[in-house]
């Protein structure tokens, strides 16, 4: 028999005992999975990507010695979690790449007006440029009184949009800081 790619994966994932290959793949898959996480520390957490909030188990390798940095090697759905019961969508299934991905950006970048590419800049320069633009925009768009003469002290020229991996604590500080600037357009996804 000549299995197609589709039937191969269907067979392997579905756990059909009499596989199209003529032998049982289940023990091999089970053993491979067991080997991969056999010496890991399990940490229960929440997928940060959307507000479904699926439970995940993060497998970390490292003997907890003082000079050893634990390494995340696998993330899977938590079978005991009442929301997802072990399942993860494709985005959640790629969660370990939130930590381990050579293409992940680790320094700030900027695309200048009229430019067609992004360039790396130093953190200090990024802070300076952001602070300067925030001040300039706030100075230009701050509204002290509304059309009926009531004091409003708001800044409608800046909006804040939080990322999905922002924690409650981070968002608490964001709201305090942005409200102190007078921002009214604030959005986040606080739940982790
Ligand atoms: S696994 Fe998918 S559905 Fe679940 S929280 Fe993450 S992104 Fe949302």
């Amino acid at each position: 028999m000549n299995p197609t790619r589709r039937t191969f994966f269907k067979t392997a994932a579905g756990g059909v005992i009499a596989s199209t290959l003529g032998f049982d793949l289940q023990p091999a898959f089970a053993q491979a999975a067991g080997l991969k996480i056999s010496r890991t520390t399990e940490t229960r957490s929440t997928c940060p990507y959307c507000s479904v909030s699926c439970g995940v188990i993060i497998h970390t390798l490292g003997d907890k010695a003082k000079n050893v940095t634990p390494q995340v090697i696998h993330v899977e759905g938590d079978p005991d979690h009442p929301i997802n019961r072990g399942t993860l969508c494709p985005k959640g299934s790629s969660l370990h790449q939130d930590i381990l991905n050579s293409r992940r950006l680790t320094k700030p970048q900027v695309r200048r007006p009229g430019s067609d590419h992004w360039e790396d800049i130093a953190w200090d320069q990024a802070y300076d440029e952001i602070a300067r633009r925030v001040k300039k925009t706030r100075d230009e768009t701050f509204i002290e009184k509304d059309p009926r003469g009531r004091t409003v002290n708001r800044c409608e020229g800046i909006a804040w949009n939080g990322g999905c991996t922002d924690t409650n604590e981070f968002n608490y500080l964001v709201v305090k800081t942005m409200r102190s600037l007078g921002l009214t357009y604030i959005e986040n996804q606080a739940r982790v």
Side-chain angles (χ1 to χ4, degrees), residues 91-110:
K91 201 160 63 164
S93 298
S94 68
L95 196 52
H96 68 283
Q97 293 197 16
D98 191 38
I99 306 156
L100 302 171
N101 191 324
S102 58
R103 297 173 64 195
R104 183 179 174 189
L105 295 180
T106 56
K107 47 190 157 187
Q109 292 187 321
V110 62

Side-chain angles (χ1 to χ4, degrees), residues 8-9 22 28 30 35 40 47 69 72-74 78 83 96 100 113-114 118-119 126 139 150 152 163 178:
F8 175 82
F9 283 114
L35 285 173
T40 59
C47 174
T69 303
V72 172
I73 64 160
H74 184 59
D78 183 351
I83 289 178
H96 68 283
L100 302 171
W118 294 84
E119 58 186 270
D139 288 347
R150 296 175 299 191
V152 289
M178 296 303 131

Side-chain angles (χ1 to χ4, degrees), residues 130-144:
I130 292 169
R132 209 172 298 124
R133 282 170 173 71
V134 167
K135 176 161 188 347
K136 180 173 183 294
T137 305
R138 183 174 183 271
D139 288 347
E140 290 173 354
T141 61
F142 195 77
I143 300 169
E144 288 185 29

Side-chain angles (χ1 to χ4, degrees), residues 46-56 77 83-84 87-95 189 191:
T46 307
C47 174
Y49 287 145
C50 88
S51 48
V52 172
S53 306
C54 295
V56 297
I83 289 178
N84 56 314
T87 61
L88 292 175
C89 77
K91 201 160 63 164
S93 298
S94 68
L95 196 52
Q189 202 178 346
R191 73 186 187 288

